[in-house]
Amino acid sequence: MSETSLLPLIVASAFIGCLIPALLARFGRGMGALGAAGVMAGCLALLAPLIPAVLAGEALVTAYAWLPGYGLDLAFRLDGLGLLFCLLILGIGLLVVLYAYYYLPGGHVRLPHPNPLPHPQGVSPPGLAAKPLNPARQAGEGANESLREISNHGDRLGRFYTLLLLFMAAMLGVVLSENLLLLVVFWEVTSISSFLLIAYKREQRESRIAARMALAVTGGGGLALLAGVLLLGHIAGSYELSVVLAEGERIREHSLYAPMLILILLGAFTKSAQFPFHFWLPNAMAAPTPVSAYLHSATMVKAGVFLLARLHPALAGSGLWFWLVSGVGAVTLVYAAYTAFHRYDLKGLLAYSTISHLGLITLLFGLDTPLSVVAGVFHIINHAIFKASLFMAAGIVDHECGTRDMRRVNGLFKFMPITATLAIVAAASMAGVPLLNGFLSKEMFFTETVGHPVFEEMRWLLPLFATLAGMLAVAYSSRFIHDVFFNGDPIDLPRQPHEPPRWMRAPVEVLVVLCLLVGIFPQWSVAPLLGAAAGAALQAPLPAFELAVWHGFNLPFVMSLVALAGGITLYALRKPLFALHDRLPSVHAHIAFERFYEGLTSLAHSIVNWLDNSSLQRYLALFIVFVLSLGGWAWLSGPPAVAAAAYQPADAAAFAALATLIVGALGATLLHRQRLTAIVFASVVGLVVALAFVRFSAPDLALTQLAVEVVTIVLLLLALHYLPQTTPAEDSGPRLARDAALAVGAGAGLGAASFAMMTSPFETISGFYLAQSLPGGGGANAVNVILVDFRGFDTLGEITVLAMVGLAAHALLDRLALTAPGRDSDGRPWARERHPLFLSMLMRPLLPLALAVSVFILLRGHNLPGGGFVAGLVTGVALVLQYLASGIDFAQPRLPRHKAKLLALGLLLAGGTGAASWLFGRPFLTSAHGHAALPLIGEIELASAMVFDLGVYVVVVTVVLMVLAQLGRLSRHGFPEKCGEAA
Amino acid sequence: MEAVVAIAIGMLTACGVFLLLRARTFPVVLGLTLLSYGVNLFLFASGRLRLDAPPLIQAGAAYTDPLPQALVLTAIVIGFGMTAYLLMLALRALAESGDDHVDGRMKP
């Protein structure tokens, strides 16, 4: 196995490994944690053999085709940047697994009740119950999370670890992707899995709202990222990073560069909680603290800055990049630092400080000098280390005190001196105190602000800004240290604080030791990894830089000193500053977002309720409106109609037919409430249409129309027997006017369209059919040959549909009991003589005649007007007449009982004829033809297609019989008895 | 002649649409029938109007376009199937709800 094939294996084993904690958790919570740790350790072990090559500056790439047509391949890449993130994800992940084991309740707290079902509230979808937020409550200053979650944890530790691993797997996918589309796929998985993690305490409304907000913001950003990546792939000609990163020059000069850059940055900024998308992150503190420590310090929020680093060679180097990225980063840096200083909630402070540090990293990538990129990558490492330890320390405080409100949590140093020392060191690193890792990257940041090439004119601006940000960082770090661990005594804590369990503190200890190691021995500890990662982010030779604690007494060092002194002064002045802050108008971006979200959903609900009011009339009217607007739009925007064809002159007969048709259609419409009358009018229309077919050289159509007309009218009459004879006058005037307008619009539209069509130049595609009808299909009737031969497959589908209608007749009407009214609409009883002798005597001899005619039509169909459809309808009509004349009791026993079998026979005949051509090695439905001499009839042309037509015939006859016989059978339930009663 | 056919198509469509929008099942079925006539004529007209030129192959004759005819022939038969199906649905709905309103309920 080659080394690079380990890459997909790492990602795959992480995804598959997700299931392990869920399966193991049933054997005890320790097993769940062990399983999760095992998966992470396994991934680390798979990664280990690749590390030396990557540290030497290699980029390992491997690819498997997935959807090559879309440019989406399972392509993975491990370079310095990816390795750095893998180590962060897996290393901090391991610590979080250990920490969560102690943090989350379940092992040492037993539930009083045995009910393992989740809380009913927890099951309800988060979006439905939401109402506008209460700002005071939303601030959530120090709400105790660990007390509340004890009440219904159930068997949730397994779920927690599974989600954590799923998230980890997705993050590994993001940082190991070589293919940009694949990266977006994993990116979306991180959004979804973090949604599930934030909503871990799903019975709490704040958790659900926070999770939804995080998903909406980061998921929306993910969509923008997808669009941006598609554009980027379009510009670069490939989605492979190796290609894209080398195409920077061409990408920046492309006309689509600006929209592409903005879309991709939207993705990065939402994920990394940059202003103005920062508000989801403080809310996401509703998640359990291990999640915050993992997602909101080391991993997920770093995905955004990872993307900046990853695509830096391809996208950076333009003015747009500089102003957008450094501008957003700078605003975020200062705004969030200021807000962090004013928070009372321990986790809230950390959340805003995280946003601020992410802003710093963004700013560093935006400054866009080689050294600032190195500093950005370095700060990613340092921030992950100290912020994870700070979150864990805050979690310990919360866990031990029962609250994390800094107005109550004071003077903890004497209760938990070890934890306090650890937290103080980590916070000092956050403040940028020398000998700690945070100091090093902050010094690099200060160095880069001094003399940045873009600010030649105002060279004092950037350093001043940086110093201000540094002061604020010192101020909130001081607050974290002094408020929590000193500052008097605790006030009214729910629990008596003490040191946490030994191993709960261990992860913090590891991270703090790392802070010191990196801070004191940078060259020895972090330099190789940083060099490889920064080299990968730059895709260029590394600039010369020296990782040392002491660079001499220079301007950046002075800035650090000023920041330290200024920050401590700020903290000392906190009381008047807080009072001032309270008088400022407060802006709650998350509340504004929530209002917007609520408004949007209620708007969507009202639109859906208006459209979908479960009225078929409404649907149909909307549909017609939609079709009319589409048609109108096409009409107005299309090219003008070209009238090229010569018109056919109209004669008196045509006008007479038109007049008859109009009378029929209008009569049926205006008098539709008198249903019987309307049927009569409608039948006139059908006859005129049949005549029109005769006139315009379509004898087959005329025959079919005539036969269908008869069957349809009989059908309508039979159905009307059971339905009300009249329609009540219930439509309001406006409704009638609306429908009339729609009807006129539709009629005028289709009429105009057909006129334009008929008078436009005409080029037929039917030359082939006409030329091949006789030699190829063996029939002179081109229409019939098309139906049974050229386009026989269509016809096969069509008779299948018809067969379904027949079966539906059985399914819908069998054993249906409908009673027909005993009297007609005028209150007269039906005639007592149901089957007049005259009619039945006349019809019986007619049957063989009609059958002979239909056989004749069937046989001649291939050459002359006729065919299976018409013949089937004629036979059907003849049989139906027997029903009408002599009654169902006469007709039923004389006809085949199992009509469904007949249907099958017809379909088999048609399908079998088609399949038979396989026997001769020809495609489905290839026809053969020849001549045969029949006695009496003479020579006829025989084609295999005629057997197909026979199948059509059988199906049509059977369907007509099934439908009408089912309707007729209803009358046996209803009509005679009622009639007897009425008489 | 084209104008005559176009007017006929428009008329049938308008009447069909108006009836389709009614609240009771029977007018809807009737409207569907009328609309089918109109649409069939429209499809047929896409092959243009030719007099005395049936597509029956003979020596030296002129033919109209057979393809729209074949399509319309199947459309007529399918239209019949649809009408039948709709009628059966209407009967079933009447039996189930005791009412012939298309929404399965009386207007309030």
Side-chain angles (χ1 to χ4, degrees), chain B residues 6-96:
Chain B
I7 291 171
I9 292 172
M11 197 68 216
L12 289 172
T13 308
C15 292
V17 167
F18 183 80
L19 286 178
L20 274 182
L21 290 168
R22 296 304 94 214
R24 302 289 167 156
T25 50
F26 194 80
V28 171
V29 177
L30 215 55
L32 189 74
T33 315
L34 289 183
L35 188 63
S36 313
Y37 292 144
V39 172
N40 287 345
L41 271 180
F42 176 73
L43 287 179
F44 175 74
S46 71
R48 305 300 185 273
L49 309 178
R50 297 279 301 271
L51 305 184
D52 304 320
L56 303 170
I57 310 298
Q58 304 155 25
Y63 310 114
T64 185
D65 195 339
L67 194 59
Q69 294 200 14
L71 296 181
V72 172
L73 200 150
T74 57
I76 293 172
V77 179
I78 285 287
F80 159 70
M82 202 155 68
T83 308
Y85 185 70
L86 212 57
L87 272 176
M88 293 184 294
L89 271 184
L91 286 175
R92 183 70 193 235
L94 177 69
E96 301 276 337

Side-chain angles (χ1 to χ4, degrees), chain A residues 300-377:
Chain A
M300 169 153 143
V301 293
K302 292 278 166 61
V305 287
F306 166 79
L307 196 69
L308 295 183
R310 177 52 98 200
L311 294 177
H312 181 269
L315 302 182
S318 67
L320 190 64
W321 168 279
F322 175 82
W323 290 109
L324 265 181
V325 179
S326 65
V328 167
V331 171
T332 312
L333 167 64
V334 172
Y335 167 78
Y338 172 80
T339 314
F341 182 49
H342 290 97
R343 301 293 289 191
Y344 291 111
D345 177 16
L346 205 50
K347 275 179 84 178
L349 186 152
L350 291 179
Y352 273 101
S353 83
T354 301
I355 298 174
S356 172
H357 281 274
L358 290 167
L360 169 60
I361 298 169
T362 306
L363 171 59
L364 281 168
F365 285 118
L367 289 179
D368 201 14
T369 61
L371 269 176
S372 73
V373 172
V374 176
V377 174

Side-chain angles (χ1 to χ4, degrees), chain A residues 615-617 648 666 669 675 697 701 709 730-731 739 743 747 750 757 760 764 766 780 782 798 809 812 967, chain B residues 1-2 10 13-15 21-22 24 37 48-50 52-53 55 57 65 69 74 88 91-92 100 102-103:
Chain A
S615 160
L616 291 170
Q617 278 182 288
Q648 302 274 355
L666 272 183
T669 306
R675 294 180 172 181
S697 321
L701 293 190
E709 193 57 34
E730 57 190 350
D731 289 323
D739 292 350
L750 195 62
M757 179 181 74
S760 63
T764 177
S766 301
E798 195 204 343
L812 283 170
L967 283 176
Chain B
M1 197 71 98
E2 279 79 5
T13 308
C15 292
L21 290 168
R22 296 304 94 214
R24 302 289 167 156
Y37 292 144
R48 305 300 185 273
L49 309 178
R50 297 279 301 271
D52 304 320
I57 310 298
D65 195 339
Q69 294 200 14
T74 57
M88 293 184 294
L91 286 175
R92 183 70 193 235
D100 68 338
V102 287
D103 297 341

